[in-house]
Amino acid sequence: MQQPEPRWWQTGVVYEIYPRSFADSNDDGTGDLAGITGRLDYLEWLGVDAIWIAPFYPSPMADFGYDVEDYTDVDPLFGSIGDFDHLVAEAHQRGIRVVVDYVPNHTSDRHPWFIESRSSRTSPKRDWYTWRDPGPNGELPNNWISMFAGPAWEWDEATAQYYLHMFLKEQPDLNWRNPQVRAAMFDVARFWLDRGVDGFRIDVAPMVMKDPELRDNPPNPSPPSGHHMGSWTRQLHENDHAHPDMHELYRSFRRLLESYPGDRVSIGELYHPDYAVWAGYYGERQDEIHVPFNFHLTYSPWTADAVRGAVEGVQAALPPGAWASWVLGNHDQPRFASASRAGRDQARVGMLALLTLRGTPTIYYGDEIGMVDVPVATADARDPLEHREPGRGRDPERSPMQWDSSPNAGFCPPDVEPWLPLAADAPSVNVAGQAEDPDSLLTLTRRLIQVRREHPVLHRGDFEPFGPTPDGSYAFRRRSPAGRLVVALNLSDTPVTIPSEGAGQVLIGTHRDRDGSLVDGPLQLRANEAVVVEER
Ligand code: GLC
């Protein structure tokens, strides 16, 4: 049977931009939209097919833009709507699609909808948010906790009720069971679709609808220790997360996207440990979220066993014909090249895996040069999460992009203080230096993207397990009528020999001296080495 032509969001590589931290065009120490436009030539050179830009909407910035005060404008810190239109036009001219963040779960407490909702119990917008009376002794309406620690309810003195906020109290949750909310938020999507965006990354997609009776969550009988989600793991999120009613919502959201010309995409932020629940967001007829992000490689330790478990777990859970996605990091997780994750030596192995697995890869800005976390003391933290639950702050992975070896790394002028401190290694780890260096991670990333484009088997080919392979290593095969490739990863710091009978040639490896070399029989991999072998 003829396979349908793959869509851009299946073959393409997505690049996530945290706009505060990418490039500052107006010398105020904070990145902005014109800064991104100024770096589109770099992104075109790198070869990415799409950018996803984290929120740039007007916001009091309690959660750095994930508290939206106006969904249909640009915060002056980031520029103007004209700057946005210019960015989209310039990106499209270079063949780069633009995906924007859609934050449906909550607004800012300064959004006019919330101000009106809060104004009185009889406000026409009261029901746009979730308001509840206290219990007979002043108790909270239920036991839900904020993902950012503490109770998920805030008392409103003026109207003597609590409102629900699954994140900060400055981020009240919208009530999507109210049809007016849905209509207003669908209009928000139309606003950006009409301006030419190619799709949305849906923030906390599985949280948007909760149990209508707001029943308590059961406690987690065995909360993991030292988990990055901290106190959130003390409950089983049966009633505030992944409610089945969301499926109908995402079906209609998809219909909205599909009513527009072009291939508009929805990418869902879907942190869910259960593969079946995660896979459910494709929809029974694959009519819900186009690309449910899977974060299994982000939370798994970077070991061969865990990577095998995550890759094969995802492949097994995928509904027939569904398209996977892969991500190693984002603005909420420690950087992949940091010692707490994979470390510098494995950063190359991770990039090779990310760009050769079956599914859409998303690269977090700076991971292509191996940026690492930049520590920020709790007292100096910008991220409110660090103050609420020390250790969980996300400033370290949001440090300014390292463009060159100048004092502020080309992010902002040398005499301006960047909004977050730059990495100490910026003089040696930066785009300008690595672009010139044939052995750099940046050169490897760019070549991997090229090889992926030149060998469609790497994006559209089937996935097959390969092995068994020795401890510390993992391998898989990609196959299409046009060819077969083996991707072999050594995730350890000792050499391994991968048993293999056939002959082939190394198409690309983490170490350039392997490129083009012939393989016949067992495949020797050095410490921290990975290769893609074209089988004969
Ligand atoms: C998502 C975002 C995160 C934000 C949260 C609340 O998880 O990625 O940065 O703080 O939602 O909007």
Side-chain angles (χ1 to χ4, degrees), residues 63 66 106 148 167 201 203-204 269 331-332 394 398:
D63 187 19
Y66 281 100
H106 44 266
F148 286 172
F167 292 88
R201 174 268 190 187
D203 191 55
V204 287
E269 186 198 19
H331 62 282
D332 297 324
R394 299 161 295 174
R398 297 173 176 179

Side-chain angles (χ1 to χ4, degrees), residues 32-347:
D32 45 53
L33 296 182
I36 299 173
T37 309
R39 296 293 182 175
L40 286 171
D41 287 345
Y42 164 72
L43 296 169
E44 186 183 16
W45 171 86
L46 182 60
V48 302
D49 299 271
I51 51 175
W52 146 36
I53 313 172
F56 47 79
Y57 314 114
S59 165
M61 304 288 170
D63 187 19
F64 296 110
Y66 281 100
D67 47 325
V68 181
E69 186 178 335
D70 178 355
Y71 285 106
T72 54
D73 204 348
V74 171
D75 194 286
L77 187 69
F78 296 121
S80 66
I81 197 83
D83 292 331
F84 179 79
D85 291 341
H86 184 57
L87 164 54
V88 172
E90 290 289 318
H92 284 172
Q93 215 165 45
R94 290 166 177 79
I96 298 175
R97 315 258 180 164
V98 179
V99 171
V100 298
D101 229 290
Y102 184 67
V103 188
N105 184 66
H106 44 266
T107 66
S108 160
D109 63 344
R110 304 249 294 270
H111 194 294
W113 299 341
F114 187 71
I115 294 175
E116 193 175 330
S117 180
R118 179 176 221 168
S119 66
S120 86
R121 285 190 180 215
T122 55
S123 147
K125 288 207 169 52
R126 188 66 169 179
D127 183 53
W128 282 41
Y129 295 82
T130 299
W131 291 95
R132 287 292 181 278
D133 287 331
N137 300 310
E139 303 93 335
L140 299 172
N142 68 16
N143 73 348
W144 295 358
I145 48 183
S146 155
M147 222 181 220
F148 286 172
W153 296 97
E154 179 69 12
W155 179 246
D156 179 62
E157 199 58 59
T159 58
Q161 278 191 317
Y162 285 102
Y163 67 84
L164 179 68
H165 60 91
M166 297 308 295
F167 292 88
L168 300 174
K169 67 176 170 31
E170 293 85 358
Q171 295 168 294
D173 279 40
L174 281 165
N175 172 21
W176 274 77
R177 293 185 185 278
N178 181 319
Q180 291 172 1
V181 168
R182 182 188 288 220
M185 286 302 291
F186 275 37
D187 281 348
V188 167
R190 286 189 191 95
F191 175 89
W192 294 105
L193 291 166
D194 288 339
R195 295 201 101 81
V197 304
D198 298 286
F200 300 102
R201 174 268 190 187
I202 306 172
D203 191 55
V204 287
M207 254 199 166
V208 170
M209 286 177 115
K210 290 99 180 162
D211 175 39
E213 291 169 39
L214 304 180
R215 281 172 289 199
D216 279 354
N217 283 322
N220 184 352
S222 48
S225 62
H227 193 275
H228 72 280
M229 298 298 280
S231 52
W232 173 256
T233 60
R234 285 190 213 133
Q235 293 182 347
L236 297 176
H237 293 279
E238 283 179 8
N239 293 317
D240 59 5
H241 212 86
H243 194 278
D245 290 351
M246 255 159 338
H247 294 291
E248 184 276 321
L249 169 62
Y250 290 127
R251 277 197 292 277
S252 45
F253 194 71
R254 175 130 170 187
R255 284 196 296 274
L256 171 66
L257 292 175
E258 289 179 348
S259 71
Y260 276 78
D263 245 345
R264 318 284 176 121
V265 71
S266 51
I267 302 176
E269 186 198 19
L270 273 154
Y271 278 107
H272 207 290
D274 183 329
Y275 290 103
V277 175
W278 160 76
Y281 285 90
Y282 284 96
E284 272 171 28
R285 295 162 193 249
Q286 284 180 55
D287 51 359
E288 296 182 23
I289 295 178
H290 295 88
V291 185
F293 260 146
N294 98 70
F295 295 98
H296 294 281
L297 289 180
T298 321
Y299 354 95
S300 308
W302 188 252
T303 63
D305 286 347
V307 170
R308 179 184 299 107
V311 171
E312 291 176 6
V314 165
Q315 292 300 334
L318 273 182
W323 196 256
S325 76
W326 299 101
V327 31
L328 298 176
N330 63 23
H331 62 282
D332 297 324
Q333 304 295 327
R335 288 254 181 203
F336 186 73
S338 293
S340 66
R341 294 278 313 281
R344 282 198 190 280
D345 291 338
Q346 281 291 320

